[in-house]
Amino acid sequence: MQLAVSTVILALRPTPDGSGTTLWLPLVRRIREPFLGAWALPGEPLEEHMSLVEAARTRLRHTIGLDPNYLEQLYAFGGVDRSRDGSSPDAPCPERVVSIVYWALVRADEDARMVAGENVAWFPAEQLPALAFDHAAIVDYALARLRAKLEYTPIAHAFLPDEFTLTEVREVYEAVLGRGLDPANFRRQILASGAVEPTGEKVTGTSHRPPSLYRYRPDSVATSPTPPPRSAA
């Protein structure tokens, strides 16, 4: 059995038709069998000298050229036949691979600094090509988990700058959930949650009445669910 670390990297970008914002993620084109030429999530076998977090962060740097602030372990996937390429049911099954999957949520300022690595391309999360192995199921799980956490945690902060308008928060919710939300109801609910607080500042440089700026309360969020690895002593 082999242990691997994979990452689901999610960022908010304009929809292909420019009508709004949606979730995108980078995929890597495989350069070896099985699934030669197919798209897959970034990942690699776990090296003995690396911790799980170190392996995930190394793969992030190789894939998108940076180390996002928000990184969290998502789930472990270890189906017996998940390494089979499906070309022939009689083909011998390769060595079993168990993948520890992390997800990284990318803020706009981080997105602006990203540089795609070799054989990497970005796709809308709802318009993915056929994926290698069980990676389509992994993406589905990540999206379902994100949408569920949005309902009971302040995870939206992972896509936002330190200070933001309530409209920007609502746009994150709408992009992740894939549906519009009533602005007045959303404003009332997000303020009632106690997760955000006003900064006392307003957006500058607008020709209309400037909107107020807010921030997530420090006690309501964790800056980094998975802290950077410490150097070995």
Side-chain angles (χ1 to χ4, degrees):
M1 186 180 71
Q2 186 178 75
L3 190 63
V5 175
S6 297
T7 54
V8 179
I9 305 164
L10 296 169
L12 294 178
R13 293 182 169 187
T15 56
D17 62 6
S19 62
T21 304
T22 191
L23 288 166
W24 291 66
L25 69 158
L27 299 173
V28 178
R29 191 182 291 279
R30 288 186 56 80
I31 59 175
R32 62 179 63 88
E33 295 288 359
F35 292 100
L36 175 66
W39 293 102
L41 292 170
E44 60 187 5
L46 179 66
E47 298 183 21
E48 291 186 1
H49 67 280
M50 280 190 174
S51 69
L52 293 174
V53 175
E54 288 172 327
R57 292 190 180 276
T58 298
R59 178 45 48 191
L60 283 166
R61 288 191 289 270
H62 289 169
T63 303
I64 60 175
L66 61 83
D67 196 349
N69 187 56
Y70 190 102
L71 179 68
E72 182 181 7
Q73 190 175 127
L74 179 65
Y75 201 66
F77 294 82
V80 175
D81 294 331
R82 66 186 302 266
S83 301
R84 191 188 300 274
D85 66 7
S87 59
S88 171
D90 298 324
C93 185
E95 181 182 12
R96 182 180 182 182
V97 178
V98 175
S99 289
I100 309 300
V101 179
Y102 282 77
W103 62 353
L105 307 183
V106 179
R107 301 189 341 178
D109 61 316
E110 295 173 324
D111 192 357
R113 301 196 308 271
M114 285 194 293
V115 179
E118 187 177 2
N119 294 319
V120 176
W122 283 78
F123 297 86
E126 299 296 343
Q127 300 176 32
L128 298 181
L131 301 185
F133 308 111
D134 58 353
H135 290 189
I138 294 175
V139 173
D140 287 344
Y141 181 89
L143 295 177
R145 179 77 176 276
L146 177 60
R147 288 162 183 154
K149 292 193 72 169
L150 199 66
E151 300 288 349
Y152 65 89
T153 75
I155 198 170
H157 81 89
F159 293 108
L160 292 164
D162 293 336
E163 297 183 356
F164 45 81
T165 67
L166 294 184
T167 297
E168 289 174 321
V169 184
R170 175 169 53 82
E171 288 172 347
V172 170
Y173 275 71
E174 291 177 334
V176 173
L177 297 175
R179 56 183 172 86
L181 299 172
D182 179 76
N185 285 340
F186 179 83
R187 177 185 178 86
R188 182 167 54 253
Q189 291 171 3
I190 194 70
L191 291 177
S193 72
V196 301
E197 61 185 9
T199 66
E201 304 293 332
K202 294 182 180 293
V203 175
T204 59
T206 62
S207 57
H208 304 288
R209 188 174 72 175
S212 298
L213 288 169
Y214 291 79
R215 59 178 167 242
Y216 272 95
R217 295 174 58 88
D219 58 353
S220 72
V221 299
T223 302
S224 178
T226 303
R230 297 179 179 177
S231 300

